[in-house]
């Protein structure tokens, strides 16, 4: 780790500047970590268009150390003063993007401003834009230009946490508000091309997965722009991944889900048979309700699950599943109040109750949807591992298997048949890989993506 000791107070006329004296255990790399540096976080989210403009033109970006911005009002002009472009008139001179612009020069690991102030460059990070052109991001020990402090100086003037978006539509709205219009439109064009021109065939699901992952990486880079790669997964990384995943799935989920329904044909068929058999056999239908829970009203949970089956974005589908489970828990609690009972919602009880909701909602493609959303999570924004969402998904899988088993059918056998067909497709693909690849990637699509290897 590298540590830095900042100088103490200095005053220049009416401008009061704090340069902090710190002996910190924080690694210098963390000074440009969006989880530690609220200034950088704000530039990459609220003022993302300015961040992209800096990348596209390979301008220099100066990020104040986290301690230097404590209690400072980070207005748009303060942020813009730290995005620095070359002077159109004088070589070696630079101007900030603020209004009015500040004249800036760099010399001996220091940043000098026209008003006589200087800031030390304490850390430098190499970033690359979409075209893999390098641009510089410096961490400096103070703020460039004038600024204001929050009233009282005891708290930050803004809430720097990432937006808490709950639906795919909210992510889409955020992208429309914070991403360049032409860039977003080009990404939508890629998705439209995928929908209209990408060919699919039974037994070749692996090609579809590769294409979806490739599409995700291209759009993520194009929308978010350059970033340095770290072994750590930051909150801002998850935020952008979720945003891009929502964009792709809202526009392309019907095509992708249709492929999964074909690939999981035997599983879907078995679940359909089970739902039909249970729905028309009173004894089987009654077996889904555990003893003592016969009077629990699950109509709200059934309605939520039915609506969830139509959701396209993973975040919406996962939220719907959580709401269904919450509705089951609320129904049990309400029954305890109404009938003065003491029903307990254990896993042995929850699984058959969820199975009941699956049957009543007539969600007959649920097996393929489970596979679809699990794969989309691993291919794009992996937000389920070790989370409540993973528990909910496992619960739903167990409920579907329970309903099928009650009918004397086997979901495992159906899954094995589907997997055998996929393996046959992979085997034949190995015999003539180039021919199959050519069939799956049309010439028109290659043009849209910039070439056949994209």
């Amino acid at each position: 780790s590298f540590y830095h000791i900042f100088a103490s107070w200095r005053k220049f006329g009416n401008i009061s500047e704090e340069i902090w004296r710190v002996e910190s255990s924080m690694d210098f790399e963390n000074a440009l970590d969006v989880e530690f540096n609220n200034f950088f976080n704000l530039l990459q989210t609220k003022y993302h268009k300015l961040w992209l403009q800096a990348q596209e033109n390979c301008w220099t970006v100066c990020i104040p150390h986290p301690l230097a911005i404590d209690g400072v009002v980070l207005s748009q002009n303060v942020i813009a003063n730290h995005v620095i472009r070359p002077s159109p008139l004088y070589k070696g001179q630079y101007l900030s993007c603020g209004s009015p612009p500040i004249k800036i020069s760099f010399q001996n690991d220091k940043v000098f401003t026209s008003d006589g102030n200087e800031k030390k460059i304490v850390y430098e990070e190499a970033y690359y834009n979409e075209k893999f052109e390098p641009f510089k991001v410096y961490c400096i020990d103070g703020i460039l230009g004038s600024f204001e402090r929050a009233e009282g100086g005891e708290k930050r003037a803004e809430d720097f946490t990432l937006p808490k978006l709950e639906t795919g539509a909210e992510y889409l709205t955020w992208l429309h508000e914070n991403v360049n219009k032409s860039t977003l439109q080009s990404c939508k064009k890629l998705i439209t091309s995928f929908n209209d021109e990408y060919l699919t065939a039974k037994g070749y699901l692996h090609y579809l997965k590769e294409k979806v992952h490739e599409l995700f990486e291209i759009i993520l880079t194009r929308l978010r722009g350059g970033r340095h790669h770290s072994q750590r997964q930051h909150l801002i990384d998850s935020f952008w991944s979720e945003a891009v995943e929502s964009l792709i799935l809202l526009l392309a989920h019907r095509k992708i889900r249709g492929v999964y329904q074909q690939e999981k044909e035997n599983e879907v068929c078995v679940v359909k048979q089970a739902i039909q058999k249970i729905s028309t056999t009173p004894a089987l239908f009654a077996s889904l309700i555990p003893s003592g829970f016969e009077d629990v009203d699950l109509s709200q949970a059934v309605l939520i699950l039915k609506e969830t089956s139509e959701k396209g974005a993973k975040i919406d589908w996962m939220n719907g599943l959580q709401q269904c489970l919450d509705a089951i828990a609320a129904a049990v609690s309400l029954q305890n109040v109404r009938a003065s009972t003491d029903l307990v919602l254990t896993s042995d009880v929850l699984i058959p109750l969820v199975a009941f909701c699956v049957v009543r909602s007539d969600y007959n493609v649920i097996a393929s949807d489970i596979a679809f959303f699990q794969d989309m999570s691993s291919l794009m924004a992996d937000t389920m591992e070790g989370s409540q969402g993973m528990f909910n998904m496992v619960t739903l899988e167990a409920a579907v298997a329970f309903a099928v088993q009650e009918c004397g059918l086997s979901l495992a056998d159906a899954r094995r048949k589907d997997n055998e067909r996929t393996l046959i497709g992979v085997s034949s693909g190995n015999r003539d890989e180039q021919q199959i690849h050519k069939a799956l990637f049309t010439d028109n699509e290659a043009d849209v993506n910039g070439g056949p290897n994209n």
Side-chain angles (χ1 to χ4, degrees), residues 79-336:
I79 299 289
N81 276 335
H82 292 77
V83 176
I84 301 166
R85 55 190 171 88
S87 170
L89 300 177
Y90 303 103
K91 185 177 181 180
Q93 295 292 316
Y94 299 85
L95 298 173
S96 75
C97 291
S99 181
I102 304 171
K103 293 180 181 179
I104 291 172
S105 61
F106 298 91
Q107 188 176 0
N108 298 328
D109 294 328
K110 290 184 178 179
V111 185
F112 297 89
T113 59
S114 56
D115 58 7
N117 284 321
E118 64 180 62
K119 303 292 181 289
K120 187 168 183 178
I121 298 172
V122 297
Y123 185 75
E124 178 181 346
E125 184 74 64
Y127 275 70
Y128 295 86
N129 62 18
E130 183 188 355
K131 299 177 182 177
F132 296 101
E133 298 170 330
F135 65 99
K136 294 180 179 179
V137 176
Y138 294 134
C139 177
I140 59 177
D141 64 359
I143 299 175
L144 301 176
S146 60
F147 59 89
E148 296 179 359
R149 293 201 168 276
E151 212 172 304
E154 299 176 354
K155 61 179 181 179
R156 300 184 189 279
E158 297 188 48
D159 179 12
F160 300 106
T161 57
L162 286 166
K164 294 182 179 179
L165 307 182
E166 302 293 339
T167 67
E170 288 179 3
Y171 274 107
L172 196 58
T173 300
W174 188 91
L175 288 173
H176 277 284
E177 293 174 350
N178 293 278
V179 173
N180 182 277
K181 184 177 180 180
S182 60
T183 303
L184 184 59
Q185 194 62 34
S186 71
C187 293
K188 288 184 176 181
K189 187 177 180 181
L190 286 178
I191 301 172
T192 301
S193 174
F194 168 79
N195 279 335
D196 295 343
E197 300 163 9
Y198 186 77
L199 303 179
T200 61
K202 280 187 177 182
Y204 297 102
L205 183 62
H206 58 293
Y207 280 113
L208 177 71
K209 292 180 183 180
E210 289 175 3
K211 183 60 181 176
V212 170
H213 180 68
E214 177 189 339
L215 189 64
F216 171 78
E217 290 293 337
I218 291 172
I219 293 177
L220 179 62
T221 301
R222 191 170 293 186
L223 291 182
R224 182 179 178 182
R227 63 192 189 280
H228 73 297
H229 295 279
S230 171
Q231 293 181 348
R232 295 180 55 201
Q233 179 74 9
H234 302 306
L235 291 176
I236 195 169
D237 297 325
S238 299
F239 176 86
W240 273 104
S241 295
E242 196 78 65
V244 173
E245 181 192 67
S246 296
L247 172 65
I248 293 173
L249 292 185
L250 283 173
L251 299 180
H253 75 94
R254 287 184 177 85
K255 180 185 182 76
I256 305 173
R257 284 168 100 167
V259 175
Y260 273 81
Q261 288 172 21
Q262 291 177 347
E263 291 293 324
K264 306 295 179 181
E265 182 180 10
N266 287 291
E267 289 183 62
V268 170
C269 183
V270 166
V271 173
K272 283 183 178 179
Q273 291 176 14
I275 290 177
Q276 184 177 11
K277 189 172 183 179
I278 292 173
S279 300
T280 57
T281 309
L284 285 175
F285 193 78
S287 69
L288 296 181
I289 303 296
S291 177
F293 288 79
E294 294 84 358
D295 295 329
V296 175
D297 183 6
L298 297 176
S299 58
Q300 185 63 27
V302 170
L303 178 62
I304 291 173
L305 190 58
K306 189 175 185 63
E307 293 173 347
T308 299
S309 67
E310 300 172 0
K311 304 294 184 183
K314 188 194 72 182
I315 185 174
D316 298 332
W317 193 84
M318 295 300 297
N319 286 342
L321 179 55
Q322 180 63 59
Q323 291 167 12
C324 175
L325 297 176
D326 290 342
I328 292 174
V332 172
S333 297
L334 182 61
Q335 180 62 23
N336 283 334

Side-chain angles (χ1 to χ4, degrees), residues 391-453:
F391 170 80
N392 295 346
M393 186 71 84
V394 170
T395 300
L396 184 60
E397 284 185 284
V400 173
F402 176 83
V404 171
Q405 187 177 356
E406 286 295 294
C407 298
L409 302 172
S410 174
L411 200 59
D413 289 342
R415 185 175 294 121
R416 186 160 45 250
K417 291 179 182 178
D418 289 328
N419 290 339
E420 285 173 357
R421 183 178 60 195
T422 300
L423 290 173
I424 291 172
V426 172
S427 177
S428 62
N430 290 335
R431 289 197 298 268
D432 200 353
E433 192 80 12
Q434 291 183 344
Q435 184 178 355
I436 294 169
H437 194 271
K438 184 181 289 187
L440 292 171
F441 292 83
T442 66
D443 293 336
N444 196 12
E445 182 192 13
D447 292 338
V448 171
N449 284 293
N453 293 327

Side-chain angles (χ1 to χ4, degrees), residues 3-8 19-26 28 65-68:
Y3 305 96
H4 183 71
I5 301 178
F6 295 89
S8 53
I19 304 179
W20 303 84
R21 183 176 188 82
V22 179
E23 292 183 60
S24 173
S25 61
M26 181 169 60
F28 256 176
H65 190 279
L67 294 175

